[in-house]
Structures are given as C-alpha cells and as structure tokens.
Amino acid sequence: MLKVTDLVVSYGGIEALKGISFEVEQGQIVTLIGANGAGKSTTLRTISGLVPPKDGRIYFEGRDITDLNTQKIVETGIAMVPEGRRVFANLTVLENLRIGAYLRKDKDAIEEDINYVYDLFPRLKERSWQLAGTLSGGEQQMLAVGRAVMTRPKLIMMDEPSLGLAPLVVKDIFKIIQTLKDTGMTVLLIEQNANAALHACDYAYVMETGRITTSGTGEELLASEAIQEAYLGKTSKS
C-alpha cells in the first residue's frame, strides 16, 4: 500500500533521514521503533507532506505522492494522528470530529462516522459538548484518533500514541489500534513503547540515526537478543 524508497530529508545541513526504504502492506499494522532522534517522526511528517524530501520517492497504492501537498495527501486516503495529540482545545469534542471531515461533502455519511467514532470511544460520546482542552490525556488521544478516522483513511499514521499516558490507558489505545486494523484500516505506527508496539504489529522496522538497521515480524524482533537489550530493557544495559 505504501512504499518509501531511498528517502533523504535534511534540516539545514543535518541529514535526518539517510536514504531509508520500507513498505507497508495493506491491512497490516507496521511499526517504526527507535530512540529519540532516530528519524521516526520525520518519516511520518515527510509522508504527510509537511516536510519536503531532499531525495527519494513515496508511493501510495502505486501512485507517486512525493510532491503532493498535505491536503492532497489526505485526499488520497492517508491520515495522521500527530505526536502530542494537538486537539483544538477551545472547541468541543464534536467540533473537533467535524474538523476531521472538513474535506468531505457527504453529510449523512459524516453523521454515520461520528456515531462510529462514538462506538469506538464511548467516553467521547459522553463528552461530546465538552471542550477538548478539558479532557484527560487519554481522552484527548482518543479524540485525535477519532478526528483522523473522520477523514475515512485507508492508511492511518500514529506518532507516539501512548506518550505520557497511564499504563491502563495505553492498553486501551492499543486495543483501538487493533480494532482499526480489524475494520480494514492499515496502520503505520511510531512508538517508543517498543514492547507494546512489537506485540501489536505485523511487521516492524528499527531506526537508528536516520537509517533502518533491522526489520522483521513483531515476533522475530521480540525474540532478538539485540533488540531486547537495546529497546526492551532485558539486560543490565537497559
């Protein structure tokens, strides 16, 4: 579904991505794991059209989307749940969801999708008229996911969805990611909680300083001693 080839991104004179290539198969959960500064967020921002690449190409469903602007990329069927949630704090839950559908004209289907999001996240329905800025961190993350779902994406990209959340809420978020997959969506996930991400994903890529150094199924990487040592805290070097 998504193919990234030889992607290079520079900030000033610093190369944040040094020619990475990877693929995301339709219907899978694919995760990028790595330490802070590895280039994970830059990868998602580049796919989204927020950061221009210096070199390399991005293909979505066989179409070259490298040079499209962000709105056009959303129209192709890619949505992003940004790091830090970034809900519109002074708008209600319902208003935030409607903003997610701003490119759509199908009013009846929009109402159906709002109800679908409420089915996914009953707490959002209870708080539909509450200002988003007054929600808990977990509820804001649910709202950020719901807002992305309102674009009717084929591929949903998530940047650190568990960041700063309590362990029980993190479990809920990963259940929702699995539910999205079960409903036919493809998920590209960036997550510092490598253990949770590898348990949830079909395939994973490990990023280090702008390069992809390892890849494999979630099970394969969970079983790797090198990955356990570097990311899962299984040795004294954690």
Side-chain angles (χ1 to χ4, degrees), residues 115-131:
N115 288 324
Y116 170 66
V117 170
Y118 285 160
D119 287 341
L120 278 179
F121 303 108
R123 270 183 281 179
L124 294 184
K125 185 173 185 179
E126 295 167 11
R127 292 159 172 72
S128 61
W129 298 105
Q130 191 170 321
L131 294 181

Side-chain angles (χ1 to χ4, degrees), residues 189-210:
L189 173 68
I190 283 180
E191 184 54 67
Q192 275 195 296
N193 185 338
N195 189 50
L198 291 176
H199 275 99
C201 75
D202 297 290
Y203 204 81
Y205 296 88
V206 179
M207 293 189 70
E208 295 178 19
T209 58

Side-chain angles (χ1 to χ4, degrees), residues 25-184:
E25 297 289 338
Q26 184 169 357
Q28 287 192 340
I29 299 171
V30 174
T31 189
L32 305 178
I33 65 170
N36 273 336
K40 305 185 304 297
S41 292
T42 296
T43 301
L44 291 201
R45 289 172 62 81
T46 307
I47 295 168
S48 297
L50 296 169
V51 175
K54 183 178 176 183
D55 202 0
R57 309 308 295 173
I58 302 164
Y59 301 92
F60 182 63
E61 295 187 318
R63 176 186 179 187
D64 189 337
I65 63 167
T66 313
D67 300 318
L68 295 185
N69 64 35
T70 300
Q71 178 171 319
K72 294 292 185 186
I73 288 170
V74 172
E75 289 173 356
T76 68
I78 299 176
M80 178 136 149
V81 180
E83 181 181 354
R85 302 177 269 282
R86 301 198 185 179
V87 297
F88 296 98
N90 293 323
L91 299 180
T92 67
V93 166
L94 181 58
E95 288 168 335
N96 270 268
L97 293 178
R98 290 195 185 283
I99 284 175
Y102 77 101
L103 289 177
R104 296 172 54 186
K105 302 288 187 280
D106 47 342
K107 290 184 179 179
D108 290 343
I110 288 171
E111 294 307 312
E112 286 177 15
D113 287 352
I114 287 171
N115 288 324
Y116 170 66
V117 170
Y118 285 160
D119 287 341
L120 278 179
F121 303 108
R123 270 183 281 179
L124 294 184
K125 185 173 185 179
E126 295 167 11
R127 292 159 172 72
S128 61
W129 298 105
Q130 191 170 321
L131 294 181
T134 65
L135 300 176
S136 70
E139 290 163 351
Q140 288 187 15
Q141 186 62 67
M142 293 172 192
L143 180 55
V145 173
R147 183 179 60 191
V149 167
M150 289 301 298
T151 70
R152 283 211 168 170
K154 300 170 188 173
L155 170 67
I156 189 165
M157 304 193 298
M158 298 187 180
D159 193 350
E160 302 284 9
S162 76
L163 191 66
L165 301 181
L168 280 176
V169 180
V170 171
K171 281 188 177 179
D172 289 342
I173 294 297
F174 275 92
K175 282 179 187 172
I176 292 300
I177 292 171
Q178 185 62 49
T179 300
L180 294 176
K181 177 192 171 181
D182 293 343
T183 61

Side-chain angles (χ1 to χ4, degrees), residues 4-15:
V4 173
T5 59
D6 303 319
L7 197 63
V8 178
V9 175
S10 294
Y11 294 117
I14 300 170
E15 273 196 350

